[in-house]
Structure formats: C-alpha cells, structure tokens
Amino acid sequence: MENKGRKVPEVVIRRLPRYYRYLAELDRSGKTRISSNALSEKMGVTASQIRQDFNYFGGFGQQGYGYNVKSLLKEISQIFGINDGYKAIIVGAGHLGHALANYSGIQKRGFSIVGVFDIDKKKIGQDYNGITVRDMSEAEAFIKENDIDIAILTLPKNAIGEVADKLVEYGIKGLWNFAYVELKTKKPVPIENVHLTDSLMTLSFKIKQKSE
Amino acid sequence: MENKGRKVPEVVIRRLPRYYRYLAELDRSGKTRISSNALSEKMGVTASQIRQDFNYFGGFGQQGYGYNVKSLLKEISQIFGINDGYKAIIVGAGHLGHALANYSGIQKRGFSIVGVFDIDKKKIGQDYNGITVRDMSEAEAFIKENDIDIAILTLPKNAIGEVADKLVEYGIKGLWNFAYVELKTKKPVPIENVHLTDSLMTLSFKIKQKSE
C-alpha cells in the first residue's frame, strides 16, 4: 500500500486507531467482511467520511463488497508501523511506569518495551515484568546500543523538559508523555501527550450536565 | 456563570481541559491575565474560536483586557464540576488500578478516590495509597452508602460489560473505562473510554512518516 504522499490530517490519523480497534474485534469474532454502511454506523462516522479517510492511503474498499476485515487490519497496521517492531524504554519507574511495563496492550500493538530507567536508588535493580530497572546514567549507552525508538515518559513534570531533550540527543525518535505538560523538545520529534485527567474532566462535565 | 442551555459540542468540551491546563500553568507562574491573542497562539486555536468556545458558557473575556487567569480557571472548574467533589472507586486492583490510586492528578482535579475493588483474594486487603482493596461483593453496599459517582474501570475487557451494568444499577453515574473496548451499558450513563494504545499508534505513525 502506497501512501499517496498527501499530508494526512491529524483528525484522520486519530480516527484510524478506532477503526483498527473495531476491526480487531470483528476479526476475533470471526467476521471476514463488513459493509461500508455497517462500519459507518458502528464508528459514528458517515460512510463517505470513511471512504475519504481511507483514500488518503490509497483506499481499500470494493464497490458492492465492502471491506475485507483482515486485509484492512493489515493495511492499517502497515500505515501505523505496527509491524515495524518499534522499541521503547520507560523513563520513570513509579507506579504508572510499573503499570505500563505490565500493560499487554503495548506489546499487542507490536511495540516492545526493552528497558526501564529511574534515578531512584530504591527502584534501580527491581524487576518490572521481566525488565530490570536501570540507573538513568546508563540510558545514553542503552539507547545507542539497542537502537531505541520511543521513550515513554512517566516522570514528574518538573524534571521532564531536560530529560526529554537529552533522550532526543541520544537518538530517541518519538516521545509518549504522561506528565501534565504540553511537552516540547529543543530538537523537534513527534510527541504524543497523554493527559489522563482531561478525559476525567470531560466525564465529570457530562455527569454534571446530565444531573442539572 | 450560567450555562446558556445550548448543547455544547463534544469538540468544545474536549478543548476546555487544554485551556484549563495552560491557565493553571500561567497561574502557577504568577501571571494574572492573558490576551486573547496570546491564549490563541499557545493553544493553536484562533482567537475567534476561543471566544466562540467560551460563549457557550456565557463568555468570560473583556474587550481590550483579555482574560483574567484566576477567574477563567474558576469558571472552567465550575463548568466541569471540579469543585463538586465527585467521589470515585477503582474497579480492578491490577497494576493500572494501583497506579491510578496513586495518581495525584486525579485528586488535584478535585475528584476523590475512596474505594478500590477486586475479586482476586490475593489483592483484597492490600493497601493502595491508604485505601484497602475490598472484595467486589461489597461494591453494591459501598456505592449506595457512600454515594459514589464515578467508577474507574481497570479490569480485563472480557469481564467489563457485565460489571459495568451492575455498577450502574448500584447507582454509579459515570464510567471512566481503561479496557480496550468501546464500552456501552444497558442503562446509558456518561462513559469516557481511555484507549492508551490509540495515542501510541498515532506516535508510531508520526515516527514512521518522518523517517520515510
């Protein structure tokens, strides 16, 4: 599948993992194809929107047949580099770092976590799901030797800017940030900020609105 | 501040926590006001979009002055029910449940976690950040006695549908779901699904696109 070279809008990129999730569910339940209308209904997106979205990547539907679940999953996997075996480290071995080291969803999406780092002597040496927590001072050598792609940042927000810049210097290609800041690095790399409390605030809003 | 009664579009609701985050940063750094243009630049949203967003809630800006940081924070807090003291329980005392029980961001946004539940005898009785993990069979009484608003679902996805329906039956008003499903309940309540791997997939896409 060729990417047609057009810049893919952020909003389209954000919709694809949802398609992927639903298609993976269909696949597990043994469904082999889905009509454009059924996909549209499930996703809450118009059928023409779905066609438009997929057209950015060459379009995968077939008139009158709909979509083949397995091949669509495969195409989306390729688009997202899910089969490219990206390697990640976790920086910050607190509770959230520990939880992410044990989070099977990451591995299932084809990413492997191969290292965990911290500066806290009490955490260094501990075993997190088969990975030994290392001293942060070893990060540079580890990243270079193991060709690490992604750093998962689960450290306090006051320390994060400096650490992120160093990691990028060492060769990290993208950051998955869980600290409560809009992270930016001196040398720009792709960054995804996960702000858990944003969605909690949204939930709270909806509960409040319903009870008024 | 009165909500003018118009239905607030989802996209606006989703932008407000970002405004809130940035304003909280300004407030911490001692800034008392911000111009509409500066807020716009920082948020990557046009000044007129910001005015439109705030207009859903009555509008808080003042011509020629911009926005008062503290009062804007207070308004957004009220809109989101942040000062309403919503009480939450965590259902699923695995690594992620443990991490969320320790996640200060939840308390800082005014929510309190008052209970943790599981069915695993090995976890029941453990202390999670001062909260004793209880047997799931106690959930009904606990929710009713303590007027719990929110259930944070960190349990495996195969168990989640049934559990969610029961929690709603017991009186839970909203669900914050971390399992890899688009959760729906028989009796509809507000649900926010947090799909961590969606943002990891987006990050992967951006890294891949950059390296091509």
Side-chain angles (χ1 to χ4, degrees):
Chain A
M1 177 58 47
E2 280 174 277
N3 183 320
K4 286 181 161 178
R6 278 182 293 162
K7 174 120 178 83
V8 187
E10 180 96 15
V11 61
V12 176
I13 299 170
R14 297 209 173 272
R15 266 197 293 267
L16 284 173
R18 281 192 64 220
Y19 296 138
Y20 183 88
R21 189 163 58 241
Y22 176 56
L23 290 162
E25 262 175 52
L26 282 179
D27 188 39
R28 274 194 303 275
S29 71
K31 289 253 165 67
T32 55
R33 71 158 130 155
I34 181 163
S35 72
S36 160
N37 284 338
L39 188 57
S40 144
E41 203 173 297
K42 182 72 185 182
M43 296 286 101
V45 171
T46 64
S48 100
Q49 180 70 76
I50 290 177
R51 273 190 298 274
Q52 263 182 50
D53 286 352
F54 289 166
N55 265 335
Y56 278 101
F57 307 98
F60 332 110
Q62 242 180 294
Q63 200 75 38
Y65 174 87
Y67 298 100
N68 178 299
V69 171
K70 268 201 200 304
S71 65
L72 197 45
L73 271 174
K74 203 176 146 203
E75 302 285 6
I76 298 180
S77 294
Q78 279 174 7
I79 289 166
F80 278 90
I82 280 178
N83 303 315
D84 296 8
Y86 284 132
K87 284 187 278 186
I89 56 169
I90 292 172
V91 179
H95 290 287
L96 188 58
H98 195 182
L100 291 173
N102 280 280
Y103 186 54
S104 64
I106 296 176
Q107 270 82 10
K108 279 188 196 146
R109 232 64 67 230
F111 303 90
S112 49
I113 294 170
V114 296
V116 180
F117 293 86
D118 207 296
I119 52 167
D120 182 352
K121 300 285 176 227
K122 276 177 286 182
K123 284 173 190 145
I124 296 163
Q126 283 192 28
D127 180 284
Y128 279 21
N129 198 25
I131 303 164
T132 305
V133 179
R134 290 161 199 265
D135 192 314
M136 196 58 206
S137 65
E138 299 172 30
E140 179 171 8
F142 188 90
I143 290 167
K144 289 177 177 169
E145 275 162 31
N146 297 285
D147 246 329
I148 304 300
D149 305 287
I150 294 167
I152 303 173
L153 304 176
T154 49
L155 65 169
K157 69 165 181 271
N158 48 338
I160 209 164
E162 205 186 322
V163 171
D165 281 327
K166 277 193 187 150
L167 292 167
V168 172
E169 222 181 277
Y170 302 158
I172 287 292
K173 301 188 192 89
L175 299 167
W176 199 25
N177 169 42
F178 284 79
Y180 192 62
V181 285
E182 296 278 323
L183 185 62
K184 272 181 191 150
T185 47
K186 282 180 195 153
K187 188 186 157 199
V189 294
I191 298 175
E192 276 290 301
N193 297 294
V194 179
H195 294 305
L196 292 177
T197 46
D198 282 12
S199 87
L200 184 58
M201 281 175 72
T202 307
L203 178 63
S204 169
F205 175 83
K206 289 177 178 171
I207 294 172
K208 190 180 162 85
Q209 206 178 36
K210 228 185 142 182
S211 66
E212 262 166 6
Chain B
M1 175 60 47
E2 279 175 276
N3 183 322
K4 285 179 160 181
R6 279 183 293 164
K7 173 120 178 84
V8 187
E10 180 96 13
V11 61
V12 176
I13 299 169
R14 297 209 173 271
R15 267 198 292 268
L16 285 174
R18 283 192 62 220
Y19 296 138
Y20 183 88
R21 190 162 58 241
Y22 176 56
L23 291 163
E25 263 174 52
L26 282 180
D27 188 40
R28 274 194 303 274
S29 70
K31 289 252 167 67
T32 54
R33 70 158 132 156
I34 182 164
S35 73
S36 160
N37 284 338
L39 187 57
S40 145
E41 205 173 295
K42 180 74 184 180
M43 296 286 101
V45 172
T46 64
S48 99
Q49 180 72 75
I50 291 177
R51 272 190 299 273
Q52 264 183 49
D53 286 353
F54 289 166
N55 266 334
Y56 278 101
F57 307 98
F60 333 110
Q62 242 179 293
Q63 200 76 37
Y65 173 88
Y67 297 100
N68 178 299
V69 171
K70 269 200 199 303
S71 66
L72 196 45
L73 271 174
K74 202 177 146 201
E75 301 286 5
I76 298 179
S77 294
Q78 280 174 4
I79 289 165
F80 278 89
I82 280 178
N83 303 315
D84 295 8
Y86 282 132
K87 284 186 278 184
I89 56 169
I90 292 172
V91 179
H95 290 287
L96 188 58
H98 195 180
L100 291 173
N102 281 279
Y103 186 55
S104 64
I106 296 176
Q107 270 84 10
K108 279 188 195 146
R109 232 61 68 233
F111 303 90
S112 50
I113 295 172
V114 295
V116 180
F117 293 85
D118 207 296
I119 52 168
D120 182 352
K121 300 284 177 226
K122 276 178 288 182
K123 285 173 190 146
I124 295 163
Q126 282 192 29
D127 180 284
Y128 280 18
N129 198 24
I131 301 163
T132 305
V133 179
R134 290 162 200 263
D135 192 315
M136 196 58 205
S137 65
E138 298 172 31
E140 179 171 7
F142 188 91
I143 290 167
K144 289 178 177 170
E145 276 162 31
N146 297 285
D147 244 328
I148 304 299
D149 305 287
I150 294 169
I152 303 174
L153 303 176
T154 50
L155 66 169
K157 68 166 181 272
N158 48 337
I160 210 165
E162 204 186 323
V163 171
D165 281 328
K166 275 192 189 152
L167 291 168
V168 172
E169 221 182 279
Y170 302 158
I172 287 292
K173 301 187 192 87
L175 299 166
W176 198 25
N177 168 41
F178 284 79
Y180 191 63
V181 285
E182 297 277 322
L183 185 63
K184 273 180 190 152
T185 47
K186 281 179 197 156
K187 187 185 156 197
V189 293
I191 298 176
E192 275 290 301
N193 296 293
V194 179
H195 294 305
L196 292 177
T197 47
D198 282 12
S199 87
L200 184 58
M201 282 176 71
T202 306
L203 178 63
S204 169
F205 175 82
K206 290 178 178 172
I207 294 172
K208 190 180 162 86
Q209 206 177 36
K210 228 186 143 182
S211 66
E212 264 167 4

